[in-house]
Amino acid sequence: MSRIGNKAIEVPEKVKVTIEGNEVKVEGPKGNLSYTMSDRVSAKFEDGQITVGRKAETKKDKAFHGLTRSLIQNMVTGTNEGFKKTLIITGVGFRAAVKGNEVNLALGFSHPINHPIPEGISVKVEETTKIIIEGIDKQKVGAVAADIRSYYPPEPYKGKGVRYDDEVIRRKEGKTAQGK
């Protein structure tokens, strides 16, 4: 039994949903998204709600049931409100800037890092140490944030690096001098 897959998806007034065969198209104030479902699941749009069903009771069908429901929910939320990830840069001389369609990062290496911004994603930098990534596709927003974080993940001794806004870094105590 897929608990997530059985929940109905509430569709706001501003969002328009079209289901043709295995193709789900969602149009909202922020943009348009589409998704091709697996043959193992089906979806219906009635009375402002989307319900996702499965064809069989196998383990794989149950997994696709929950996955499909979550992906459609993310499409509805993304086209209506959008998604946002915030990254914080910590370290002396560490900074970021947006130049054209690239994020320029100075993270203590001998060279600057230029990360391309994919289509459909907007990146803003506030106070040179706060990067805000926004878009309608949850997967793309998360992937861009993870890619930028991977250049210099936070280290546990001084806390330097790129971290998510809500991420907690467990700090370690450094070595202490031993006297005889």
Side-chain angles (χ1 to χ4, degrees):
M1 177 173 122
S2 174
R3 291 190 188 116
I4 293 172
N6 289 333
K7 292 181 184 175
I9 302 167
E10 296 291 331
V11 179
E13 295 284 327
K14 299 178 251 178
V15 178
K16 186 179 143 198
V17 177
T18 310
I19 300 172
E20 297 170 359
N22 283 357
E23 187 77 20
V24 179
K25 295 179 183 174
V26 181
E27 295 178 34
K30 296 244 180 198
N32 304 333
L33 290 173
S34 66
Y35 172 67
T36 305
M37 297 184 295
S38 167
D39 292 333
R40 298 174 180 269
V41 293
S42 61
K44 286 187 286 188
F45 179 56
E46 298 173 334
D47 303 327
Q49 290 186 335
I50 301 172
T51 53
V52 180
R54 59 180 174 258
K55 306 256 167 57
E57 292 298 316
T58 65
K59 191 172 186 176
K60 202 164 195 168
D61 287 345
K62 290 177 184 180
F64 272 108
H65 186 208
L67 170 73
T68 302
R69 191 253 179 221
S70 294
L71 292 174
I72 294 172
Q73 173 68 57
N74 289 342
M75 289 168 49
V76 170
T77 304
T79 55
N80 190 34
E81 301 163 18
F83 291 101
K84 177 178 168 181
K85 287 266 187 193
T86 304
L87 297 171
I88 307 292
I89 300 175
T90 308
V92 177
F94 288 19
R95 62 186 171 276
V98 176
K99 292 185 178 169
N101 60 349
E102 289 185 333
V103 180
N104 186 306
L105 302 162
L107 299 175
F109 299 118
S110 61
H111 56 84
I113 297 168
N114 295 317
H115 184 81
I117 301 170
E119 199 174 312
I121 300 293
S122 69
V123 177
K124 290 185 278 187
V125 176
E126 295 177 356
E127 305 158 14
T128 70
T129 58
K130 187 175 185 180
I131 303 171
I132 299 168
I133 303 160
E134 294 179 311
I136 62 171
D137 190 345
K138 187 174 187 177
Q139 190 272 331
K140 268 190 186 176
V141 171
V144 170
D147 287 347
I148 292 173
R149 181 184 181 276
S150 71
Y151 290 125
Y152 201 124
E155 54 97 9
Y157 294 101
K158 291 184 179 178
K160 293 178 8 178
V162 181
R163 66 178 174 86
Y164 295 110
D165 189 26
D166 56 354
E167 184 178 10
V168 177
I169 306 302
R170 292 187 58 202
R171 301 288 293 271
K172 291 184 178 178
E173 199 172 306
K175 291 183 180 178
T176 56
Q178 297 267 331
K180 287 190 176 183

